[in-house]
Amino acid sequence: MQAQFRLAGTAQAHVERGEAVAHRAGECAHGVYRVTVQLLLVRHALPLRSEPGQGSDPALSEAGLEQARRLPEALARFPVSRLLSSPQRRAVQTAAPLADALGLTVEIDDRIAEYDRDLPQYVPIEQIAAENPEELQRLVNGQLPSGVDEAAFRARITAAVDDLVAAGDHNETVAVFSHGGVINVLLHQILGTARLLSFHVDYASITRLLSSRTGRLAVAGVNGVEHVWDLLPGNQRW
C-alpha cells in the first residue's frame, strides 16, 4: 500500500474532510471512518545554535528540553504505539521523554532528516534575519535554502512516509519526530499548496495526519502548540 499525495477535489475540500473526521471521531479516528494509521508529526523542540564548522546537529537548549518534557502529557490521549525520529539530535532528544513515558524504543529513519543536515552550521530561524537576510527571504517566499536539492529532499520524505503507512497495523498511531521543512513538504504534497513552505510550524508542535485504507493521507490538525505556548520564542511579546 502506498501513501498517495494527491487531492480528492480541491485542497480546501480535503482539509474540511480531514477536520470533519477529527471532530467526529476525536482522538481515535479509526474504524467507521476507514482510517488505518494516524501520524502525529512533532517538530523538534528549540535547539542551541551551532557555529560555522560545527555542523548542523546541535542539542536542545534548556527551553527546548522543557518543551520536550511537556510532550508526554500533551500526547497522553493518543494511543501511540510506535516512535520514529530523524537522526538529528534535536529530534531524538525531543522524542526521549515520550519514549521513557511509554517504554518504547525510538526508531531512527535518515529519510526524515531536515534539509540542513549536511550544512556547516545551524542557526535558529529567529536569528537568520540579522545575519542572512537573503536566505530568510527565500524561506518567507516558501522556498528551501539555496543549495538544497528540492527534488531529492521531497523524494526521500515521500518514500519514508510511504513505507511507514504501508507497514502500519490497523488502528496504529505513530509519533514522528522531525523538522519544520519535512512537515511542510508533507502538508504541501497532501494539500497542493502553491508554495513548498506554506505553514508556520512551531517548536514541539503537533500536526496530525490520517491515512485511509487505500493509503490516502488527510490533514486533521496543524501546529498544535497549546502545551508549549508560553515557551515559544515568538509568543513572548504576547
Side-chain angles (χ1 to χ4, degrees):
M1 176 173 61
Q2 296 292 305
Q4 300 171 35
F5 296 114
R6 64 173 185 266
L7 293 174
T10 65
Q12 182 61 39
H14 203 167
V15 173
E16 290 172 354
R17 276 195 296 279
E19 290 176 344
V21 169
H23 291 157
R24 290 194 300 266
E27 288 76 33
C28 293
H30 300 290
V32 69
Y33 300 108
R34 300 183 181 276
V35 174
T36 59
V37 180
Q38 177 174 223
L39 303 181
L40 306 176
L41 308 180
V42 183
R43 187 191 174 194
H44 63 80
L46 179 66
L48 296 166
R49 172 197 175 108
S50 67
E51 297 305 320
Q54 294 181 338
S56 60
D57 194 20
L60 293 182
S61 65
E62 285 301 318
L65 291 170
E66 176 58 28
Q67 291 170 353
R69 284 191 287 266
R70 294 188 183 184
L71 284 167
E73 181 178 358
L75 295 171
R77 65 188 184 276
F78 297 108
V80 177
S81 57
R82 186 180 176 190
L83 306 179
L84 194 71
S85 177
S86 154
Q88 290 166 282
R89 283 194 293 175
R90 56 191 187 269
V92 175
Q93 288 184 321
T94 302
L98 184 62
D100 291 342
L102 297 178
L104 295 175
T105 298
V106 179
E107 303 170 42
I108 303 300
D109 192 328
D110 288 342
R111 297 172 297 179
I112 56 172
E114 185 62 295
Y115 52 72
D116 66 3
R117 66 178 177 181
D118 297 321
L119 297 182
Q121 179 183 18
Y122 178 86
V123 180
I125 192 169
E126 296 80 15
Q127 301 176 27
I128 290 178
E131 301 180 23
N132 198 331
E134 293 82 9
E135 288 300 315
L136 176 64
Q137 192 58 51
R138 287 185 62 87
L139 297 176
V140 169
N141 292 340
Q143 301 171 292
L144 295 174
S146 57
V148 175
D149 186 334
E150 179 181 323
F153 181 53
R154 294 175 62 173
R156 64 175 168 85
I157 295 168
T158 300
V161 174
D162 281 350
D163 290 347
L164 179 58
V165 171
D169 293 329
H170 184 61
N171 291 354
E172 186 170 31
T173 294
V174 183
V176 181
F177 292 82
S178 192
H179 307 266
V182 173
I183 295 170
N184 262 280
V185 163
L186 288 170
L187 293 173
H188 166 75
Q189 294 185 161
I190 295 167
L191 300 175
T193 55
R195 301 185 305 163
L196 185 62
L197 305 179
S198 295
F199 296 89
H200 184 78
V201 180
D202 282 299
Y203 297 116
S205 64
I206 302 166
T207 293
R208 290 179 64 213
L209 304 183
L210 305 176
S211 172
S212 72
R213 292 177 183 174
T214 62
R216 184 184 298 278
L217 290 173
V219 179
V222 176
N223 199 45
V225 294
E226 293 80 4
H227 54 292
V228 289
W229 176 264
D230 58 312
L231 296 176
L232 296 175
N235 292 339
Q236 301 305 311
R237 66 183 185 276
W238 302 115

